[in-house]
Amino acid sequence: MNHTTTSPSFSPSLWNLACARLVRDKIGMLSLGIVLFFILLSVGSFTGLIAQNWDEEIAVNYAPPSFLDTSKEHTDTVSRPVIARQQINLYGLHDPLSAVLNQIELAHPQDTMPPNDEKKLTHLLLGADKWGRSVALKTIKGSETSIMVGLIAAIVATCIGTVLGALAGYFGGWVDDLLNWFYNVFTAIPYLLLIFAIAAVLNQKGVTTIILILGLTGWTGVFRLIRAEYLKHRQREYVLAAKAMGASHYRRMFIHILPNTFHVILVQLSINVVGFIKSEVILSFLGFGVPVDVVSWGSMLNEAQNELVLGIWWQLLGAGAAMAILVTAFSVLTDTLRDALDPKVVA
Amino acid sequence: MWAFFIRRLLQMIPTLLGVILLVFFLFNWVGGDPAYILAGKMASPEDIANIRHQLGIDQPWYSQLWIFIQQIVSGNFGDSWATHESVSHIFATRLGPSLVLLIPMMVIETVSAVCFALLVSVFRRSILDQSLMVLSTVMMSISLLVYIIVGQYIFASWLGWFPVKGWGDSLWRNLTYYAPLPIFLGLMVSIAPSLRLYRTFILDEINQDYVRTARAKGLTESRVLFKHVLKNAAIPILTNLLMSLPGLLTGAFLLERFFAIPGIGREIILAVERSDFPIIKAATVYVAIATMFANLAADLLYRYLDPRVSLK
């Protein structure tokens, strides 16, 4: 043993070892970086630091991405059709409101006569959508929705699964039977079918609704593993020692045993986030998810589906690539975490 | 074996009751009053009272539950609220297209996933193994939606190799003309997870003592692989396959919707869009029952194939 770096009494904990393994894993660190980058993006967009004005129509309709740009000119003059009312009278029609409207026009000249040389961009970083909104900003805004939904729903599902699993595994007996019955019922119905059924019943779109649907249906995997962990731990010496010292059931369950199951919880949380992001995209795509005024990768893919036939592929690229990169990075991170936290692996 | 079988059958009763209660709770309590959905926007109180009486929801909850159980047992869920086609007829006619799509997909998926898994297990920790594992992680991460949108555009609209969407009456034409593209796109996402799972099954076996013994006896590598390793790895693969069979009943939601295949998956999505509760209720309950039986069959198959396993 090298006494210059570690004192003889120091024994690295599971978390020290896991961090050391994680840092050594280059691909794991890269995926952690990508995941953190996406989370930062969505936090930034949530707090309004970036992509705040994503819904401004800054470019012409379906402006192509700037890397396709060949010309030097970056703005285009869009003339808005302004029908002069005087013209109507040329056709011999009598306009009864003409006098009133002229008065209004004189009072508020800027409202009725829009500047018809409004500058609009012809090219944008990642192109523009049907209304001329930036696809890059929409993708960032979509990341916010998808990641927020995925994270919050995963936290809800993991909390439910952990508490129920702890109760079932720790107490056993009729509590275990009852909760196992719950588990069997929820796993008997295929996951997507259950989600669709709840979506049909609730019949209202909204971010909270999706979080509720995913959170209330996704707890089963965590439950099974945490229950097994508690079954294993409840008769260990340290728990019996805590009992001998007079620790209550609550203290033994959540202060003594719970920290020893954190590695399972963390990996399950990570798996759930990936699964829920995918589910949210499918739900929003089918129109059972977020409302129309909220951008998500799913609603972007929905718009992209019709645009592709017109040869407009940038919205598909934005949402599809962002989702693929995040989900790949998250999956790799989950695998790395699982390996790093596995106590059976010798460092 | 028989004692186990009967005990498992009896254990299924509380689960089935739970599923029935859950579906009943969702649709009859959380879902609100369906009479308002059915009656439309301009409904008079008499219309609503009439519909409520027809559906039986003016009765106390226990008689409604009894009606629901009778519906499940008799298989008669009444008519669809949207099209007034009987629910049993809808499922009977939509099952065919779903199976034409999903059975070839399942066969190709299993065969190719097992082949690839054997390949990467033989060359494990090599460049081939690592690159295939990275590739499968990436392929799994791209949404099926993206595969469908891009694939439908490139292969059907642009290159014109396949029809964009549609379905015919002749089985042969469906199988050879309409189904190949959706099957191919479905395989893009479904092979990778199976490959990763089967790889771990095979790797679990390949490190066992009996494999070393077989090699020590001087058997050829292919004999060790196919006769010894694959035979043992086939047990979890087969049970896994059996447990995925109920998925055939729900159809492929996204594929059927995009390619306008009149299967069960598309019907369920339509039902969710139209708040057509009888169809969703029937699908949920029957698929849950099928899942329970598939799990039981998987347990029995496991026991049959692997006599070392004792059933508790």
Side-chain angles (χ1 to χ4, degrees):
Chain A
M1 173 158 298
N2 191 345
H3 286 264
T4 52
T5 52
T6 53
S7 64
S9 62
F10 178 79
S11 95
S13 71
L14 175 67
W15 294 95
N16 294 134
L17 285 173
C19 285
R21 280 187 214 132
L22 194 62
V23 171
R24 235 178 293 141
D25 192 327
K26 295 252 166 30
I27 300 174
M29 286 309 283
L30 177 70
S31 52
L32 181 65
I34 295 174
V35 169
L36 286 180
F37 171 74
F38 268 96
I39 291 178
L40 271 180
L41 264 189
S42 59
V43 168
S45 131
F46 183 70
T47 51
L49 290 175
I50 40 173
Q52 194 184 11
N53 34 14
W54 63 275
D55 52 353
E56 264 176 33
E57 294 159 12
I58 50 172
V60 294
N61 302 350
Y62 294 134
S66 42
F67 50 82
L68 291 184
D69 190 11
T70 44
S71 67
K72 292 273 177 284
E73 186 62 51
H74 274 273
T75 52
D76 188 21
T77 307
V78 179
S79 54
R80 287 202 177 165
V82 181
I83 302 169
R85 265 191 314 285
Q86 283 78 5
Q87 268 183 321
I88 297 174
N89 289 336
L90 289 178
Y91 302 110
L93 294 166
H94 174 64
D95 183 2
L97 289 174
S98 163
V100 188
L101 285 171
N102 276 336
Q103 270 183 344
I104 296 173
E105 222 166 76
L106 285 172
H108 308 280
Q110 70 278 15
D111 285 358
T112 46
M113 294 296 280
N116 55 356
D117 58 343
E118 195 183 341
K119 296 278 183 190
K120 288 219 173 191
L121 299 166
T122 54
H123 289 81
L124 270 177
L125 179 62
L126 260 176
D129 71 352
K130 192 161 81 181
W131 295 279
R133 301 182 299 196
S134 162
V135 168
L137 294 184
K138 266 182 96 175
T139 308
I140 294 175
K141 206 65 193 167
S143 316
E144 180 203 322
T145 313
S146 299
I147 292 173
M148 286 293 169
V149 168
L151 264 182
I152 298 174
I155 290 171
V156 171
T158 311
C159 284
I160 297 176
T162 306
V163 171
L164 295 185
L167 289 172
Y170 182 83
F171 286 112
W174 66 269
V175 182
D176 191 25
D177 288 342
L178 179 74
L179 292 171
N180 256 329
W181 176 67
F182 257 158
Y183 170 80
N184 285 333
V185 169
F186 270 85
T187 47
I189 305 170
Y191 182 63
L192 264 181
L193 192 57
L194 183 60
I195 288 181
F196 284 157
I198 299 179
V201 163
L202 292 178
N203 201 18
Q204 53 189 3
K205 293 176 184 181
V207 175
T208 326
T209 317
I210 315 180
I211 292 176
L212 209 66
I213 295 175
L214 296 175
L216 289 181
T217 52
W219 54 272
T220 48
V222 191
F223 169 81
R224 190 168 52 86
L225 292 174
I226 294 297
R227 176 179 169 269
E229 285 292 311
Y230 270 76
L231 279 176
K232 203 168 71 188
H233 278 277
R234 67 172 178 192
Q235 291 302 328
R236 292 263 169 98
E237 278 88 352
Y238 74 92
V239 183
L240 296 180
K243 185 186 178 189
M245 286 192 291
S248 64
H249 284 305
Y250 169 80
R251 235 189 125 69
R252 269 178 274 159
M253 270 164 77
F254 294 110
I255 310 283
H256 291 272
I257 303 182
L258 190 66
N260 289 313
T261 62
F262 268 160
H263 61 286
V264 181
I265 297 175
L266 198 64
V267 172
Q268 284 301 308
L269 183 73
S270 184
I271 291 175
N272 273 344
V273 174
V274 175
F276 290 168
I277 287 176
K278 285 181 172 175
S279 307
E280 187 275 333
V281 168
I282 290 179
L283 277 176
S284 296
F285 176 87
L286 290 173
F288 309 145
V290 293
V292 272
D293 56 329
V294 178
V295 181
S296 113
W297 289 336
S299 60
M300 284 176 75
L301 287 176
N302 194 358
E303 289 171 20
Q305 181 202 351
N306 300 321
E307 293 169 3
L308 198 59
V309 189
L310 307 170
I312 290 148
W313 44 265
W314 29 96
Q315 182 142 240
L316 176 73
L317 178 79
M323 186 185 165
I325 292 170
L326 176 69
V327 172
T328 309
F330 233 120
S331 311
V332 174
L333 182 66
T334 309
D335 285 355
T336 317
L337 269 181
R338 186 187 290 149
D339 292 346
L341 288 169
D342 190 349
K344 278 175 282 186
V345 178
V346 185
Chain B
M1 191 88 174
W2 275 107
F4 168 79
F5 179 65
I6 290 168
R7 201 161 57 242
R8 274 295 310 266
L9 271 183
L10 290 177
Q11 279 171 359
M12 275 161 58
I13 296 173
T15 313
L16 179 60
L17 274 178
V19 171
I20 294 173
L21 281 176
L22 177 68
V23 174
F24 181 76
F25 170 77
L26 276 178
F27 285 92
N28 289 49
W29 195 75
V30 182
D33 197 335
Y36 289 94
I37 303 173
L38 272 178
K41 289 196 175 89
M42 312 285 267
S44 65
E46 295 84 55
D47 287 346
I48 290 192
N50 203 3
I51 292 169
R52 286 174 63 91
H53 182 70
Q54 273 180 13
L55 294 176
I57 48 176
D58 52 348
Q59 293 171 33
W61 66 270
Y62 47 84
S63 7
Q64 289 184 47
L65 183 61
W66 180 236
I67 296 173
F68 184 43
I69 291 174
Q70 281 175 325
Q71 284 178 334
I72 294 166
V73 174
S74 66
N76 179 12
F77 272 79
D79 294 345
S80 151
W81 291 352
T83 59
H84 299 290
E85 191 179 351
S86 87
V87 174
S88 49
H89 183 253
I90 287 180
F91 281 105
T93 50
R94 308 304 194 267
L95 186 61
S98 283
L99 292 182
V100 171
L101 181 68
L102 286 174
I103 289 178
M105 205 164 117
M106 195 174 246
V107 172
I108 299 173
E109 178 201 311
T110 310
V111 171
S112 48
V114 169
C115 291
F116 277 120
L118 277 174
L119 191 72
V120 294
S121 310
V122 172
F123 299 104
R124 66 184 174 283
R125 302 217 180 96
S126 68
I127 293 294
L128 178 76
D129 180 23
Q130 284 173 348
S131 48
L132 261 177
M133 282 304 109
V134 171
L135 182 70
S136 62
T137 308
V138 174
M139 280 175 65
M140 272 162 70
S141 305
I142 298 174
S143 173
L144 177 59
L145 286 170
V146 176
Y147 283 114
I148 296 177
I149 296 172
V150 175
Q152 199 176 34
Y153 176 66
I154 292 180
F155 296 113
S157 305
W158 189 36
L159 293 174
W161 293 353
F162 300 99
V164 175
K165 51 177 72 174
W167 202 251
D169 290 328
S170 120
L171 173 69
W172 180 247
R173 187 164 169 76
N174 285 338
L175 209 51
T176 54
Y177 183 67
Y178 292 112
L181 184 59
I183 289 176
F184 170 71
L185 294 174
L187 286 173
M188 296 290 282
V189 274
S190 67
I191 286 184
S194 308
L195 167 60
R196 286 169 61 100
L197 188 65
Y198 296 170
R199 176 177 170 270
T200 58
F201 290 160
I202 292 172
L203 284 182
D204 277 349
E205 295 299 330
I206 229 164
N207 294 323
Q208 298 278 333
D209 287 340
Y210 72 85
V211 178
R212 203 177 307 132
T213 313
R215 286 213 183 93
K217 283 198 299 186
L219 295 182
T220 59
E221 193 60 25
S222 69
R223 204 173 159 77
V224 171
L225 203 61
F226 289 102
K227 184 97 182 164
H228 293 257
V229 174
L230 187 58
K231 215 171 170 182
N232 281 290
I235 299 170
I237 293 177
L238 277 177
T239 43
N240 185 56
L241 197 63
L242 194 60
M243 279 160 78
S244 65
L245 281 181
L248 293 176
L249 289 180
T250 58
F253 297 107
L254 294 175
L255 287 173
E256 287 176 13
R257 184 192 155 94
F258 270 95
F259 290 94
I261 298 167
I264 294 181
R266 180 166 160 269
E267 205 58 49
I268 290 174
I269 289 182
L270 278 175
V272 176
E273 279 170 357
R274 296 164 171 165
S275 297
D276 199 344
F277 288 179
I279 292 178
I280 312 172
K281 265 157 98 171
T284 316
V285 172
Y286 287 127
V287 174
I289 294 174
T291 311
M292 282 186 262
F293 275 101
N295 286 344
L296 173 62
D299 276 1
L300 292 175
L301 182 75
Y302 211 107
R303 172 82 168 83
Y304 177 73
L305 292 175
D306 192 351
R308 290 169 299 183
V309 179
S310 62
L311 300 169
K312 284 175 282 176

